[in-house]
Amino acid sequence: MAVDAAGAGRAPARTPGAPPRRTTRPRRGGRLVPYGFVSPFFLVFGIFGLYPLLYTFWVSLHHWDRLTGDGGFAGLDNFQDLFADPDFYTATFNTFSIFLLSTVPQLLLALAVAWLLDRRLRARTTWRALVLVPQYVSVVAVALVFSQLFGRDFGVVNWALQHLGLISEPVDWTAETWSSHLAIAFMVMWRWTGYNALIYLAAMQAVPRELYESALVDGAGRMLTFRRITLPAIRPTVLFTVVISTIGGLQLFAEPFLFDPQANAEGGTEHQFQTLTLMLYKYGFINNDAGYASAISCVLFLVIAAVAALNFLVTRRLGGGSGR
Amino acid sequence: MAPSLTTPASRPDAPTALPGAGGPPGHPRPRRRRGSGPRHFDSAGPLAYALLAAVVLASVFPLYWTFVVASHGDNSVLGGSTPSLVPGGHLVANIRRVFDTVDFWKALGNSFAVAGTTAASNVLLSSLAGYAFAKLRFPGRDALLVVVIATVMVPTQLGIIPLYLLVTDMGLYGTLSSLIVPALVSAVGVFWMRQAMEENIPDELIESARVDGAGHLRTFLHVAWPGVRSTAAVLGMFTFMFAWNDYFWPLIALPPENGTVQIALNQLAAGYYTDYTLMLAGVVVSVLPVLALFAVLARRIVSGVMDGAVKG
């Protein structure tokens, strides 16, 4: 594909000929112009998106130092080392744990928020905008703010929990597996719930109102109309968000990276919140073992593809079931 | 007037996905709705408002708290038995300290340069591609469009190591071009502009311009572009915000001393002892441009997100 695009990219160079004054038919070179218009995308994606992704596989089969370059063919050595590395299993567990903790509640909450927004509201644009604000705060800012909120000594969360009598001692959120996963999941949820809610809302608004009205006349309650009418109608959108959230959620980097004040990509003293992308960064850019890091990339790619496909199938079935 | 938010392009599949909608089964007796009166069936009750207010509080509180901490003299605001929810008077002093601690001016300049350039190029290149996909006929068009859409799902972040090697080979490491060039145009932008062209520019207009002998570029500039300017503006804004907030790639492609705002922010947080007032004052400076843009254009952004959703 990249090759095609490259060929098309050269096309417009031939066309800057005579100015088009009062000709009644398009010039001959004009046939290539559309390809010229669409080629920048394919060039950029091919060179900076697709090619590096494919090349990752090649690098993963080599002993490759990031700074000194290719150190010879390694076969599957990097993969063998990876599968023997306990950190890899910890990181895989952490990745899934944080992904589930952040994505499942986030999408359910987004559905609820969209459901609330999908009615006659005063100042509805203001409500929508306020819900959307977190999406435009950078991940770095979110991570720093939430590191404060979840701080052991000065954190607001500990203060609130102590005041409510739920805990007696301050929680060191970064120290434990469950607490660090929870804190990181909150960062992700905070940033993405409103955005997904608006996406669901847009889909909900495409559902004809008469359907609700007639259902209500027939005595169906709010919950029932939501389950029988709204959910089946927005199913394609739910599928879309599930797949996109899977792809994003399994690649979390900035939140766990910055949650650790050391920012050394270890993900805590015992790797308790080191995700696979964090591990990829550590080996690629701190240890400079590009081959090993590329092996992590390849495995993560397969994991993402498998989980995204699985989620797609499961969500489609579930949606189909509730719609009957 | 801003475009209406309530009438997104209707989805052809929506009605067919509603089995038995005419008469919901399994509910023999009509139930009385609580507080039934002249209220419309889908108007929001007090409970809905209360719940929404809670959601909004949760989404705004961390930002307000950031502002409170950033406006106090030192960490002591946090140490008391009750955290203060009232802003202090040290915001300006703290922001000044931010600029003394790291080269924040340079970081702001870099971020503006990168975000501004990518916004402009995305608008231009996505509009051209969108125009071709929506209004020109050429062999392979539909297949190419499918490819564009499919690329949204490709986790390109996983190619980060070869991307670094490539950018280094090209001599771009450490330069702002290393951030700009890979982000010149995106699939989402192309798809968006195609949609805008399709909806806003009648085919007849294009054809009559072509019959009059206008070339592709001229037709694009004088016929198509004026009809999609407002969509292009929203796309530019989204691209700006996205580039401004990006972190992973700038962290890798730029040395810390020539970083973007996000990198500078990260530096403020580093160290054994976290100076929260300093760190969060940095956060305030870094989010202000984006939140200002958001506040001014909230209506457009909301409809942009929702339009994109329905089409996507």
Side-chain angles (χ1 to χ4, degrees), chain A residues 20 35 52 66 119-120 122 124 128 130 136 138 145 148 156 159 190 209 211 213 216 221-222 229 293 297, chain B residues 5-6 18 31 41-42 44 49 58-59 65-66 81 83 139 157-158 161-162 164 213 238 241 245 248 262 290:
Chain A
Y35 297 102
R66 179 171 67 95
R119 41 192 94 195
R120 285 164 192 248
R122 248 169 256 166
R124 60 172 189 199
R128 290 171 184 177
L130 286 171
Y136 299 103
S138 73
V145 172
Q148 200 292 315
V156 176
W159 175 84
W190 185 74
R209 298 279 120 168
L211 291 177
E213 282 181 32
L216 285 166
R222 266 256 160 81
I229 299 176
S297 272
Chain B
L5 302 179
T6 49
L18 300 164
R31 260 193 314 177
F41 81 95
D42 65 348
Y49 277 108
S59 63
W65 175 245
T66 302
S81 58
Q157 178 173 290
L158 296 178
I161 286 163
Y164 163 85
F238 275 117
M241 290 180 174
N245 288 341
F248 192 42
Q262 308 306 329
V290 168

Side-chain angles (χ1 to χ4, degrees), chain B residues 218-239:
Chain B
R218 188 192 264 259
T219 311
F220 168 77
L221 271 180
H222 296 290
V223 181
W225 174 251
V228 297
R229 260 192 311 215
S230 65
T231 309
V234 180
L235 172 66
M237 207 171 53
F238 275 117
T239 314

Side-chain angles (χ1 to χ4, degrees), chain B residues 115-124 126-127 189 192-193 225 229-243 293 297:
Chain B
T117 314
T118 47
S121 80
N122 266 271
V123 164
L124 176 71
S126 302
S127 301
W192 245 45
M193 293 314 296
W225 174 251
R229 260 192 311 215
S230 65
T231 309
V234 180
L235 172 66
M237 207 171 53
F238 275 117
T239 314
F240 185 95
M241 290 180 174
F242 188 81
L293 205 57
L297 300 158

Side-chain angles (χ1 to χ4, degrees), chain A residues 136-192:
Chain A
Y136 299 103
V137 179
S138 73
V139 255
V140 179
V142 172
L144 298 187
V145 172
F146 277 70
S147 303
Q148 200 292 315
L149 291 172
F150 282 97
R152 188 191 60 191
D153 300 324
F154 303 122
V156 176
V157 175
N158 272 345
W159 175 84
L161 290 177
Q162 276 178 306
H163 262 252
L164 293 170
L166 293 172
I167 53 171
S168 49
E169 289 290 301
V171 176
D172 186 353
W173 292 91
T174 56
E176 302 289 333
T177 301
W178 68 271
S179 59
S180 57
H181 290 194
L182 212 57
I184 291 167
F186 265 103
M187 298 183 198
V188 180
M189 278 179 69
W190 185 74
R191 192 151 183 262
W192 286 94

Side-chain angles (χ1 to χ4, degrees), chain A residues 1 20 22-24 26-27 30 33-35 37-38 40-42 44-45 47-49 51-53 55-56 59 64 66-67 113 116-117 119-122 124-125 127-134 136-141 144-149 151 154 156 159 163 190-191 195 198-199 201-203 205-209 211-216 218-222 224 228-229 232-233 236-237 243-244 247 251 253-254 257-258 261 277 280-281 284-285 290 293-294 297 300-301 304 323-324, chain B residues 5-6 8 11 13-14 17-19 21-25 27 29-31 33 40-44 48-49 51-53 55-56 58-63 65-66 75 78-79 81-83 125 128-129 131-133 136 138-139 144 147-148 151-167 170 181-182 184-187 190 210-213 215-218 238 241 245 247-248 251-252 262 265-266 269-270 276 279-280 283 286-287 290-291 294 298-299 301-302 305-306 309-310:
Chain A
M1 182 208 71
R22 302 270 158 225
T23 42
T24 43
R27 293 152 302 156
V33 170
Y35 297 102
F37 283 2
V38 302
F41 168 77
F42 290 99
V44 168
F45 178 77
I47 296 172
F48 298 103
Y51 161 76
L53 199 58
Y55 201 66
T56 301
V59 175
W64 197 306
R66 179 171 67 95
L67 302 172
V113 173
L116 288 171
L117 286 169
R119 41 192 94 195
R120 285 164 192 248
L121 281 172
R122 248 169 256 166
R124 60 172 189 199
T125 307
W127 289 107
R128 290 171 184 177
L130 286 171
V131 164
L132 189 61
V133 164
Y136 299 103
V137 179
S138 73
V139 255
V140 179
L144 298 187
V145 172
F146 277 70
S147 303
Q148 200 292 315
L149 291 172
F154 303 122
V156 176
W159 175 84
H163 262 252
W190 185 74
R191 192 151 183 262
Y195 177 79
L198 285 201
I199 291 191
L201 175 63
Q205 300 213 319
V207 181
R209 298 279 120 168
L211 291 177
Y212 293 121
E213 282 181 32
S214 59
L216 285 166
D218 288 345
R222 266 256 160 81
L224 194 68
R228 289 283 166 76
I229 299 176
T237 308
V243 172
I244 292 291
I247 294 168
Q251 295 185 74
F253 171 76
F257 184 66
L258 294 165
T277 310
L280 158 65
Y281 177 81
F285 296 96
S294 294
S297 272
L300 184 51
F301 180 85
I304 289 172
R324 248 198 295 188
Chain B
L5 302 179
T6 49
R11 296 151 58 98
D13 57 337
L18 300 164
H27 243 278
R29 247 178 306 157
R31 260 193 314 177
R33 280 200 325 116
H40 202 269
F41 81 95
D42 65 348
S43 53
Y49 277 108
L51 288 173
L52 277 176
V55 171
V56 166
S59 63
V60 173
F61 174 76
L63 291 174
W65 175 245
T66 302
N75 281 355
L78 306 160
S81 58
T82 307
L125 297 176
L128 281 172
Y131 170 68
F133 277 126
L136 304 180
F138 53 97
L144 288 175
V147 172
V148 171
T151 61
V152 174
M153 303 234 191
V154 178
T156 49
Q157 178 173 290
L158 296 178
I160 198 86
I161 286 163
L163 181 61
Y164 163 85
L165 298 172
L166 176 71
V167 161
M170 294 169 110
V181 177
L184 281 173
V185 53
S186 75
V190 172
R210 300 284 293 149
V211 168
D212 285 351
H216 283 299
L217 215 53
R218 188 192 264 259
F238 275 117
M241 290 180 174
N245 288 341
Y247 178 62
F248 192 42
L251 176 71
I252 287 164
Q262 308 306 329
L265 206 50
N266 180 16
Y276 285 118
M279 180 176 101
L280 296 185
V283 170
S286 78
V287 299
V290 168
L291 287 190
F294 185 87
R299 185 177 287 273
I301 294 174
V302 167
V305 167
M306 291 180 61
V310 174

